Amino acid sequence: MPLLTATAVTKKFGGLTAVNNLDFEIEQGSIASLIGPNGAGKTTFFNCIAGFYQIEAGQIVFDGQPIQRLRRDQIAHLGISRTYQNIRLFANMTAMENILVGQHYHLRSSWIGAVLGTKGVREDEGRAHREARRLLRFVGLQNKGDLLASNLPYGDQRRLEVARALANKPRLLLLDEPTAGMNPAESQQMTEFIRHLRDELGTTILLIEHEMRVVMGISEKITVLHYGQKIAEGTPIQIQTDPLVIEAYLGRGSAGTAGHEATAIPAVEATQGGASAGPTPASA
Amino acid sequence: MTVTSAGMPATGAAPSANGAAPAMPVSFQRRVIRTGLLGAVIALYLCMVGIVPIFNARPLVQGVISLGQAALILSLFATGFVATRRVAESSGRLIADGAIAGGLSGVALSALVLLGSVVDVRAFLPNASPVLYGILTFNLGTIGFWIPMAAGAVLGGLAGAIGLASPRMRRSLFVGLISLFALGLFAGLIRTPMLQLPVAELARLLFASDGLTLIGAVVVLVASVGLHHVQRTRRLDLQFAALPPSRRRRIQVPLIALAAVMILVLPQGLGSFFAQVIAIVALYVMMGLGLNITLGLAGLLDLGFVAFFAVGAYTVGLLTSTAEFGIAQWPFWAAVPVAVIVAMVFGAFLGLPILSIRGDYLAIATMGFGEIIRILAGSDLLKPILGGPRGIINIPKPIEVPPDSFLAGPNQIYYIALIGAALIAFVAWRLRGSRLGRAWIAIREDEDVAEAIGINLIQTKILAYMLGAAFAGLGGAVFAALVGSIFASSIQLMVSINVASLIIVGGMGSIPGVIVGAIFLIGLPELFREFSEYRFLFYGIALIAMMQLRPEGLLPSKIVRREFQHGGGDEPPESSASPLAL
């Protein structure tokens, strides 16, 4: 049974239909990717799942429960965590505090207890700090807990954002371009980290990604969006050879020439059909 | 008007100065002239708005220099300093440039004296009086018109010469002068308690009834420069930080105990006026800590904060008053918890409709709420309950004591206000480190992300308003007992603005910052009532200076400070000059 099922989801901005009648499923414990050219509606779909946008039509069911009318915090409570395309950490909090906030829902201490310093609150806080330290170690930031989030290097910020999302003990983790702005070595690390996440924690992961090496390397299922519509879905091999996908990326007429090569689908809006090793520019 | 006319000769001198030294880069020469003219404007302004003549009444160093003269000297000196700052020049030029800039400012003052001897301009400028001219010329009359000019040149030249000193010496000198200034201002406050102690003779030697004695001035200068030198070379603060915690505590505990004892006996040494000033500061600390939760932590601007203060005060008034509008005649201590709870209810009441408002709109909406409460309190509608403009009177003191007892009058409130402020500071500190405190900061940082992480915005924001209101309500309750009455006119928008300003000056989100901010913005103006005309002038200057020099506040929260240490890099931490070293 799929963990998340979206049926005929439609999201419009004025006259623009950003997500159009989209059906989508993700299996428990799998890693799936959403790809597509700029403006294809990938992040919009993320925002619909996480409750940032109200959808006009359709239904999103998470673990048997419709979530399209829930508030963001309620969706988080159900076990959906996300990261953001342009990193959105709490910049003036330390790395440690970012993770502690991430555990908000799982801590149970009331403010009155905190003022009185009750035993329960102290234990709760102790557990929270231990868990935060564990997560910092897990993402490789063990010595950086006291640094302000805004002072961390870029790659560390991405990892901290993942750690903050993990602090909510999510069952579904939405990663929006986790390797954006990273060099090949860093994005390789991130890829391994994502796989490690799923293998270690069993978290179901849905990612938006432009870097084809990452996408093809770890996804078990890839969904391709174009102008808000699903144009293809399948395993990496199926997607690489799908003429519709190649057309969407390269334009009409190139389908016959570049179809066989794994890296032929260029990252983002690069128009030439060569390999795309460099960091991909963030899309709007 | 006068500024331009008095500045005329100076403007005339500019081209000739350029002509005389064609080798000099024009921009550089211009800078000196421009700074000099700016200095002239400031010096004239100080005279014209009456700061110099009025402050002249208060000596800084008895018989040597008055506060008014110090202000002028400071302005001339600063002109010379700014004109020669950051210029790599030969020593002769530095001094000459400083002298030119300072002299230009002086020329404007001289011109004012000359103008005053010919025409009586008092009709437009009431402060341009013989008294002012007397100050400017050391009472020599028109013949002494050259004195400001000469003084400006000398001071400006001196300031230029300081540019030659090493940064370390310069800093020592500044520390010395600032200490001199501060101790001169507060001499009376320090002397009064000392007179009752065995050190009375020392007090008389160092301090006059107002300002320092000459000996005192020398001692202060030498001691502060010496201490600063020791701190620089030995880095006592770092040594202290490097001590093991147990030994650090051995130093800290007695210091804290000493401070506590001093706070306890303070009203005896300084009298009830001072006790009352501190009680008012403590009231603002309570309100400040309240707003620090809503604004400093949760980032929700609230310009109607005085409303909660009013709710607390009126609740206590209604419940305890023995006069017309009292409804229960409860004791103060029974009324206080009710006041806090009622204030919390009002906090939730304010919070609910404005939950989804952000930023500037929030400022307007909350300000409106404050005004509604103020107008309601004074309205005819509620007059039968709240007394309208006549207010509620005869609010009894919390502890009934015979009138000659030590606890009578303001002293009692001093202790109650201090206990209240300490209690609130403790609660605020516990909240800051709690799950709720972190959620507030997360909301301040990024509301959308905070919600997506699982924080219930409605609940968390309402709690921020409620707890902030509770603190302000407690402040209001103590205020009602302090004054013994509560009127609609006590609820002013200005109170809300004061509270917001003291948080900004002290450092957003920082508990010690709130205390320091309250001392600076509320305590100092209360102590210098004689200059109250200029209260808002200095207020404005202080806020602008803060925004320019220390935008993070006087005592920023640990996090902001850390940010400056790790991130900034261009600004070395000023351990010596800042009070953080403690």
Side-chain angles (χ1 to χ4, degrees), chain A residues 7 24 35 51 59 62 75 81 90 102 130 149 154 158-159 175 179 182 189 200 208 219 227 229 255 264 266 281:
Chain A
T7 325
F24 179 84
I35 64 170
Q59 199 178 32
F62 177 75
I75 292 172
S81 287
F90 301 120
R130 274 195 300 281
Y154 186 82
R158 283 251 173 243
R159 282 205 292 273
L175 300 174
T179 69
M182 290 186 169
Q189 267 182 0
E200 288 274 300
I208 294 175
S219 313
Y227 292 118
Q229 278 175 316

PDB file of all heavy atoms in Angstrom, chain A residues 7 24 35 51 59 62 75 81 90 102 130 149 154 158-159 175 179 182 189 200 208 219 227 229 255 264 266 281:
ATOM      1  N   THR A   7      -4.400  12.177  -5.854  1.00  0.00           N
ATOM      2  CA  THR A   7      -5.323  11.857  -6.941  1.00  0.00           C
ATOM      3  C   THR A   7      -5.833  13.140  -7.572  1.00  0.00           C
ATOM      4  O   THR A   7      -6.410  13.977  -6.878  1.00  0.00           O
ATOM      5  CB  THR A   7      -6.525  11.055  -6.411  1.00  0.00           C
ATOM      6  OG1 THR A   7      -6.080  10.211  -5.368  1.00  0.00           O
ATOM      7  CG2 THR A   7      -7.164  10.221  -7.502  1.00  0.00           C
ATOM      8  N   PHE A  24      -0.307  10.720  -8.298  1.00  0.00           N
ATOM      9  CA  PHE A  24       1.039  10.385  -7.845  1.00  0.00           C
ATOM     10  C   PHE A  24       0.956   9.442  -6.661  1.00  0.00           C
ATOM     11  O   PHE A  24       0.066   9.571  -5.816  1.00  0.00           O
ATOM     12  CB  PHE A  24       1.788  11.672  -7.475  1.00  0.00           C
ATOM     13  CG  PHE A  24       3.178  11.429  -6.971  1.00  0.00           C
ATOM     14  CD1 PHE A  24       4.232  11.260  -7.859  1.00  0.00           C
ATOM     15  CD2 PHE A  24       3.434  11.367  -5.614  1.00  0.00           C
ATOM     16  CE1 PHE A  24       5.507  11.028  -7.393  1.00  0.00           C
ATOM     17  CE2 PHE A  24       4.712  11.131  -5.148  1.00  0.00           C
ATOM     18  CZ  PHE A  24       5.752  10.964  -6.043  1.00  0.00           C
ATOM     19  N   ILE A  35      11.180  15.059 -11.381  1.00  0.00           N
ATOM     20  CA  ILE A  35      12.043  15.894 -12.212  1.00  0.00           C
ATOM     21  C   ILE A  35      11.185  16.617 -13.222  1.00  0.00           C
ATOM     22  O   ILE A  35       9.978  16.364 -13.347  1.00  0.00           O
ATOM     23  CB  ILE A  35      13.162  15.096 -12.904  1.00  0.00           C
ATOM     24  CG1 ILE A  35      12.572  14.070 -13.892  1.00  0.00           C
ATOM     25  CG2 ILE A  35      14.032  14.374 -11.889  1.00  0.00           C
ATOM     26  CD1 ILE A  35      13.638  13.440 -14.776  1.00  0.00           C
ATOM     27  N   GLY A  51       1.191  21.326   2.773  1.00  0.00           N
ATOM     28  CA  GLY A  51       0.170  22.222   3.313  1.00  0.00           C
ATOM     29  C   GLY A  51       0.480  23.692   3.139  1.00  0.00           C
ATOM     30  O   GLY A  51      -0.159  24.541   3.753  1.00  0.00           O
ATOM     31  N   GLN A  59      -7.248  15.111  -4.328  1.00  0.00           N
ATOM     32  CA  GLN A  59      -7.130  14.639  -2.972  1.00  0.00           C
ATOM     33  C   GLN A  59      -5.708  14.166  -2.713  1.00  0.00           C
ATOM     34  O   GLN A  59      -5.069  13.594  -3.595  1.00  0.00           O
ATOM     35  CB  GLN A  59      -8.111  13.475  -2.755  1.00  0.00           C
ATOM     36  CG  GLN A  59      -8.386  13.244  -1.299  1.00  0.00           C
ATOM     37  CD  GLN A  59      -9.386  12.131  -1.072  1.00  0.00           C
ATOM     38  OE1 GLN A  59      -9.450  11.174  -1.833  1.00  0.00           O
ATOM     39  NE2 GLN A  59     -10.141  12.246   0.000  1.00  0.00           N
ATOM     40  N   PHE A  62      -2.438  10.660   2.984  1.00  0.00           N
ATOM     41  CA  PHE A  62      -1.200  10.193   3.595  1.00  0.00           C
ATOM     42  C   PHE A  62      -1.563   9.138   4.620  1.00  0.00           C
ATOM     43  O   PHE A  62      -2.306   9.412   5.564  1.00  0.00           O
ATOM     44  CB  PHE A  62      -0.470  11.362   4.253  1.00  0.00           C
ATOM     45  CG  PHE A  62       0.789  10.950   4.965  1.00  0.00           C
ATOM     46  CD1 PHE A  62       1.942  10.637   4.249  1.00  0.00           C
ATOM     47  CD2 PHE A  62       0.830  10.866   6.348  1.00  0.00           C
ATOM     48  CE1 PHE A  62       3.100  10.264   4.896  1.00  0.00           C
ATOM     49  CE2 PHE A  62       1.994  10.487   7.003  1.00  0.00           C
ATOM     50  CZ  PHE A  62       3.132  10.183   6.268  1.00  0.00           C
ATOM     51  N   ILE A  75       0.023  18.554   9.443  1.00  0.00           N
ATOM     52  CA  ILE A  75       0.658  17.647   8.482  1.00  0.00           C
ATOM     53  C   ILE A  75       2.000  17.178   9.021  1.00  0.00           C
ATOM     54  O   ILE A  75       2.355  15.999   8.933  1.00  0.00           O
ATOM     55  CB  ILE A  75       0.808  18.353   7.112  1.00  0.00           C
ATOM     56  CG1 ILE A  75      -0.585  18.569   6.515  1.00  0.00           C
ATOM     57  CG2 ILE A  75       1.695  17.551   6.179  1.00  0.00           C
ATOM     58  CD1 ILE A  75      -0.604  19.404   5.269  1.00  0.00           C
ATOM     59  N   SER A  81       7.966  15.662   6.784  1.00  0.00           N
ATOM     60  CA  SER A  81       8.932  16.743   6.992  1.00  0.00           C
ATOM     61  C   SER A  81       9.472  17.157   5.646  1.00  0.00           C
ATOM     62  O   SER A  81       9.484  16.364   4.707  1.00  0.00           O
ATOM     63  CB  SER A  81      10.093  16.280   7.863  1.00  0.00           C
ATOM     64  OG  SER A  81       9.697  16.152   9.186  1.00  0.00           O
ATOM     65  N   PHE A  90      16.642  28.400  10.692  1.00  0.00           N
ATOM     66  CA  PHE A  90      16.441  29.530  11.594  1.00  0.00           C
ATOM     67  C   PHE A  90      17.815  30.152  11.806  1.00  0.00           C
ATOM     68  O   PHE A  90      18.611  29.695  12.627  1.00  0.00           O
ATOM     69  CB  PHE A  90      15.817  29.072  12.899  1.00  0.00           C
ATOM     70  CG  PHE A  90      14.496  28.402  12.699  1.00  0.00           C
ATOM     71  CD1 PHE A  90      14.287  27.096  13.100  1.00  0.00           C
ATOM     72  CD2 PHE A  90      13.449  29.082  12.092  1.00  0.00           C
ATOM     73  CE1 PHE A  90      13.060  26.482  12.907  1.00  0.00           C
ATOM     74  CE2 PHE A  90      12.224  28.470  11.890  1.00  0.00           C
ATOM     75  CZ  PHE A  90      12.031  27.166  12.299  1.00  0.00           C
ATOM     76  N   GLY A 102      13.119  21.439  15.877  1.00  0.00           N
ATOM     77  CA  GLY A 102      12.568  20.409  15.004  1.00  0.00           C
ATOM     78  C   GLY A 102      11.850  19.307  15.771  1.00  0.00           C
ATOM     79  O   GLY A 102      10.934  18.674  15.255  1.00  0.00           O
ATOM     80  N   ARG A 130      20.029  15.008  23.966  1.00  0.00           N
ATOM     81  CA  ARG A 130      20.738  13.811  23.520  1.00  0.00           C
ATOM     82  C   ARG A 130      20.374  13.484  22.074  1.00  0.00           C
ATOM     83  O   ARG A 130      21.232  13.188  21.254  1.00  0.00           O
ATOM     84  CB  ARG A 130      20.402  12.627  24.436  1.00  0.00           C
ATOM     85  CG  ARG A 130      21.281  12.550  25.684  1.00  0.00           C
ATOM     86  CD  ARG A 130      21.158  11.191  26.352  1.00  0.00           C
ATOM     87  NE  ARG A 130      19.796  10.896  26.776  1.00  0.00           N
ATOM     88  CZ  ARG A 130      19.224  11.380  27.880  1.00  0.00           C
ATOM     89  NH1 ARG A 130      19.916  12.184  28.669  1.00  0.00           N
ATOM     90  NH2 ARG A 130      17.989  11.075  28.209  1.00  0.00           N
ATOM     91  N   ALA A 149      23.381  28.860  12.751  1.00  0.00           N
ATOM     92  CA  ALA A 149      23.078  28.214  11.478  1.00  0.00           C
ATOM     93  C   ALA A 149      23.581  29.050  10.313  1.00  0.00           C
ATOM     94  O   ALA A 149      24.108  28.513   9.343  1.00  0.00           O
ATOM     95  CB  ALA A 149      21.573  27.994  11.363  1.00  0.00           C
ATOM     96  N   TYR A 154      27.862  26.173   3.265  1.00  0.00           N
ATOM     97  CA  TYR A 154      26.657  25.846   2.517  1.00  0.00           C
ATOM     98  C   TYR A 154      26.248  24.378   2.644  1.00  0.00           C
ATOM     99  O   TYR A 154      25.098  24.060   2.961  1.00  0.00           O
ATOM    100  CB  TYR A 154      26.896  26.209   1.052  1.00  0.00           C
ATOM    101  CG  TYR A 154      25.696  26.051   0.178  1.00  0.00           C
ATOM    102  CD1 TYR A 154      24.725  27.050   0.129  1.00  0.00           C
ATOM    103  CD2 TYR A 154      25.524  24.914  -0.602  1.00  0.00           C
ATOM    104  CE1 TYR A 154      23.616  26.909  -0.667  1.00  0.00           C
ATOM    105  CE2 TYR A 154      24.411  24.770  -1.400  1.00  0.00           C
ATOM    106  CZ  TYR A 154      23.462  25.763  -1.431  1.00  0.00           C
ATOM    107  OH  TYR A 154      22.364  25.618  -2.213  1.00  0.00           O
ATOM    108  N   ARG A 158      22.796  22.606   4.317  1.00  0.00           N
ATOM    109  CA  ARG A 158      21.878  21.636   3.700  1.00  0.00           C
ATOM    110  C   ARG A 158      21.690  20.424   4.621  1.00  0.00           C
ATOM    111  O   ARG A 158      20.579  19.950   4.824  1.00  0.00           O
ATOM    112  CB  ARG A 158      22.432  21.152   2.356  1.00  0.00           C
ATOM    113  CG  ARG A 158      22.251  22.139   1.243  1.00  0.00           C
ATOM    114  CD  ARG A 158      21.195  21.630   0.254  1.00  0.00           C
ATOM    115  NE  ARG A 158      20.905  22.659  -0.737  1.00  0.00           N
ATOM    116  CZ  ARG A 158      19.711  23.226  -0.885  1.00  0.00           C
ATOM    117  NH1 ARG A 158      18.701  22.863  -0.135  1.00  0.00           N
ATOM    118  NH2 ARG A 158      19.510  24.145  -1.789  1.00  0.00           N
ATOM    119  N   ARG A 159      22.807  19.940   5.168  1.00  0.00           N
ATOM    120  CA  ARG A 159      22.704  18.762   6.021  1.00  0.00           C
ATOM    121  C   ARG A 159      21.959  19.073   7.305  1.00  0.00           C
ATOM    122  O   ARG A 159      21.183  18.259   7.808  1.00  0.00           O
ATOM    123  CB  ARG A 159      24.116  18.229   6.334  1.00  0.00           C
ATOM    124  CG  ARG A 159      24.692  17.452   5.169  1.00  0.00           C
ATOM    125  CD  ARG A 159      25.728  16.464   5.658  1.00  0.00           C
ATOM    126  NE  ARG A 159      26.899  17.158   6.158  1.00  0.00           N
ATOM    127  CZ  ARG A 159      27.906  17.533   5.395  1.00  0.00           C
ATOM    128  NH1 ARG A 159      27.885  17.259   4.117  1.00  0.00           N
ATOM    129  NH2 ARG A 159      28.935  18.152   5.912  1.00  0.00           N
ATOM    130  N   LEU A 175      12.540  16.272   0.052  1.00  0.00           N
ATOM    131  CA  LEU A 175      13.797  17.015  -0.115  1.00  0.00           C
ATOM    132  C   LEU A 175      13.717  17.811  -1.411  1.00  0.00           C
ATOM    133  O   LEU A 175      13.633  17.229  -2.494  1.00  0.00           O
ATOM    134  CB  LEU A 175      14.988  16.050  -0.161  1.00  0.00           C
ATOM    135  CG  LEU A 175      15.218  15.163   1.061  1.00  0.00           C
ATOM    136  CD1 LEU A 175      16.357  14.165   0.786  1.00  0.00           C
ATOM    137  CD2 LEU A 175      15.557  16.004   2.273  1.00  0.00           C
ATOM    138  N   THR A 179      20.874  18.830  -3.544  1.00  0.00           N
ATOM    139  CA  THR A 179      22.266  19.038  -3.980  1.00  0.00           C
ATOM    140  C   THR A 179      22.439  20.352  -4.731  1.00  0.00           C
ATOM    141  O   THR A 179      23.487  20.573  -5.335  1.00  0.00           O
ATOM    142  CB  THR A 179      22.757  17.888  -4.872  1.00  0.00           C
ATOM    143  OG1 THR A 179      22.054  17.957  -6.120  1.00  0.00           O
ATOM    144  CG2 THR A 179      22.553  16.543  -4.231  1.00  0.00           C
ATOM    145  N   MET A 182      25.863  22.470  -5.095  1.00  0.00           N
ATOM    146  CA  MET A 182      26.991  21.687  -4.591  1.00  0.00           C
ATOM    147  C   MET A 182      27.889  21.270  -5.742  1.00  0.00           C
ATOM    148  O   MET A 182      27.440  21.113  -6.879  1.00  0.00           O
ATOM    149  CB  MET A 182      26.479  20.426  -3.884  1.00  0.00           C
ATOM    150  CG  MET A 182      25.790  20.712  -2.576  1.00  0.00           C
ATOM    151  SD  MET A 182      25.390  19.158  -1.760  1.00  0.00           S
ATOM    152  CE  MET A 182      24.908  19.763  -0.162  1.00  0.00           C
ATOM    153  N   GLN A 189      28.371  12.930  -2.041  1.00  0.00           N
ATOM    154  CA  GLN A 189      28.213  12.695  -0.602  1.00  0.00           C
ATOM    155  C   GLN A 189      26.742  12.748  -0.207  1.00  0.00           C
ATOM    156  O   GLN A 189      26.253  11.897   0.538  1.00  0.00           O
ATOM    157  CB  GLN A 189      28.938  13.792   0.186  1.00  0.00           C
ATOM    158  CG  GLN A 189      30.351  13.459   0.569  1.00  0.00           C
ATOM    159  CD  GLN A 189      30.944  14.597   1.393  1.00  0.00           C
ATOM    160  OE1 GLN A 189      30.288  15.608   1.653  1.00  0.00           O
ATOM    161  NE2 GLN A 189      32.187  14.436   1.786  1.00  0.00           N
ATOM    162  N   GLU A 200      19.017   3.239   6.815  1.00  0.00           N
ATOM    163  CA  GLU A 200      19.147   3.229   8.278  1.00  0.00           C
ATOM    164  C   GLU A 200      17.810   3.419   8.972  1.00  0.00           C
ATOM    165  O   GLU A 200      17.488   2.746   9.937  1.00  0.00           O
ATOM    166  CB  GLU A 200      20.078   4.360   8.737  1.00  0.00           C
ATOM    167  CG  GLU A 200      21.532   4.147   8.423  1.00  0.00           C
ATOM    168  CD  GLU A 200      22.227   3.332   9.509  1.00  0.00           C
ATOM    169  OE1 GLU A 200      22.224   3.807  10.662  1.00  0.00           O
ATOM    170  OE2 GLU A 200      22.746   2.255   9.196  1.00  0.00           O
ATOM    171  N   ILE A 208      13.041  16.369  -5.166  1.00  0.00           N
ATOM    172  CA  ILE A 208      13.084  17.110  -6.415  1.00  0.00           C
ATOM    173  C   ILE A 208      14.549  17.292  -6.711  1.00  0.00           C
ATOM    174  O   ILE A 208      15.311  17.665  -5.834  1.00  0.00           O
ATOM    175  CB  ILE A 208      12.432  18.500  -6.258  1.00  0.00           C
ATOM    176  CG1 ILE A 208      10.952  18.365  -5.995  1.00  0.00           C
ATOM    177  CG2 ILE A 208      12.684  19.344  -7.495  1.00  0.00           C
ATOM    178  CD1 ILE A 208      10.287  19.695  -5.720  1.00  0.00           C
ATOM    179  N   SER A 219      17.134   6.915  -7.340  1.00  0.00           N
ATOM    180  CA  SER A 219      15.680   6.799  -7.378  1.00  0.00           C
ATOM    181  C   SER A 219      15.239   5.396  -7.755  1.00  0.00           C
ATOM    182  O   SER A 219      15.848   4.759  -8.612  1.00  0.00           O
ATOM    183  CB  SER A 219      15.103   7.769  -8.413  1.00  0.00           C
ATOM    184  OG  SER A 219      15.678   9.030  -8.255  1.00  0.00           O
ATOM    185  N   TYR A 227       4.957  21.333 -17.554  1.00  0.00           N
ATOM    186  CA  TYR A 227       3.794  22.227 -17.492  1.00  0.00           C
ATOM    187  C   TYR A 227       2.698  21.709 -16.562  1.00  0.00           C
ATOM    188  O   TYR A 227       1.524  21.695 -16.901  1.00  0.00           O
ATOM    189  CB  TYR A 227       3.227  22.481 -18.889  1.00  0.00           C
ATOM    190  CG  TYR A 227       4.159  23.296 -19.743  1.00  0.00           C
ATOM    191  CD1 TYR A 227       4.700  22.787 -20.914  1.00  0.00           C
ATOM    192  CD2 TYR A 227       4.512  24.598 -19.356  1.00  0.00           C
ATOM    193  CE1 TYR A 227       5.572  23.535 -21.691  1.00  0.00           C
ATOM    194  CE2 TYR A 227       5.380  25.348 -20.128  1.00  0.00           C
ATOM    195  CZ  TYR A 227       5.899  24.817 -21.289  1.00  0.00           C
ATOM    196  OH  TYR A 227       6.757  25.561 -22.050  1.00  0.00           O
ATOM    197  N   GLN A 229       1.923  18.792 -15.704  1.00  0.00           N
ATOM    198  CA  GLN A 229       1.323  17.484 -15.966  1.00  0.00           C
ATOM    199  C   GLN A 229       2.374  16.391 -15.921  1.00  0.00           C
ATOM    200  O   GLN A 229       3.545  16.634 -16.218  1.00  0.00           O
ATOM    201  CB  GLN A 229       0.666  17.486 -17.348  1.00  0.00           C
ATOM    202  CG  GLN A 229      -0.711  18.115 -17.304  1.00  0.00           C
ATOM    203  CD  GLN A 229      -1.305  18.239 -18.678  1.00  0.00           C
ATOM    204  OE1 GLN A 229      -0.626  18.637 -19.625  1.00  0.00           O
ATOM    205  NE2 GLN A 229      -2.579  17.914 -18.786  1.00  0.00           N
ATOM    206  N   ALA A 255      14.947  13.645 -30.144  1.00  0.00           N
ATOM    207  CA  ALA A 255      14.623  12.384 -29.496  1.00  0.00           C
ATOM    208  C   ALA A 255      15.482  11.238 -30.023  1.00  0.00           C
ATOM    209  O   ALA A 255      15.937  10.381 -29.267  1.00  0.00           O
ATOM    210  CB  ALA A 255      13.153  12.050 -29.695  1.00  0.00           C
ATOM    211  N   ALA A 264      22.496  12.168 -20.856  1.00  0.00           N
ATOM    212  CA  ALA A 264      22.104  13.012 -21.978  1.00  0.00           C
ATOM    213  C   ALA A 264      21.037  14.018 -21.586  1.00  0.00           C
ATOM    214  O   ALA A 264      20.952  15.088 -22.144  1.00  0.00           O
ATOM    215  CB  ALA A 264      21.587  12.153 -23.113  1.00  0.00           C
ATOM    216  N   PRO A 266      20.041  16.880 -19.915  1.00  0.00           N
ATOM    217  CA  PRO A 266      20.856  17.882 -19.238  1.00  0.00           C
ATOM    218  C   PRO A 266      20.144  18.422 -18.002  1.00  0.00           C
ATOM    219  O   PRO A 266      18.932  18.385 -17.907  1.00  0.00           O
ATOM    220  CB  PRO A 266      21.019  18.980 -20.283  1.00  0.00           C
ATOM    221  CG  PRO A 266      19.821  18.829 -21.161  1.00  0.00           C
ATOM    222  CD  PRO A 266      19.392  17.403 -21.098  1.00  0.00           C
ATOM    223  N   PRO A 281      22.173  25.555 -11.550  1.00  0.00           N
ATOM    224  CA  PRO A 281      21.603  26.778 -10.992  1.00  0.00           C
ATOM    225  C   PRO A 281      20.234  26.479 -10.388  1.00  0.00           C
ATOM    226  O   PRO A 281      19.492  25.642 -10.895  1.00  0.00           O
ATOM    227  CB  PRO A 281      21.491  27.713 -12.190  1.00  0.00           C
ATOM    228  CG  PRO A 281      21.684  26.874 -13.399  1.00  0.00           C
ATOM    229  CD  PRO A 281      22.296  25.583 -12.997  1.00  0.00           C
TER     230      PRO A 281
END
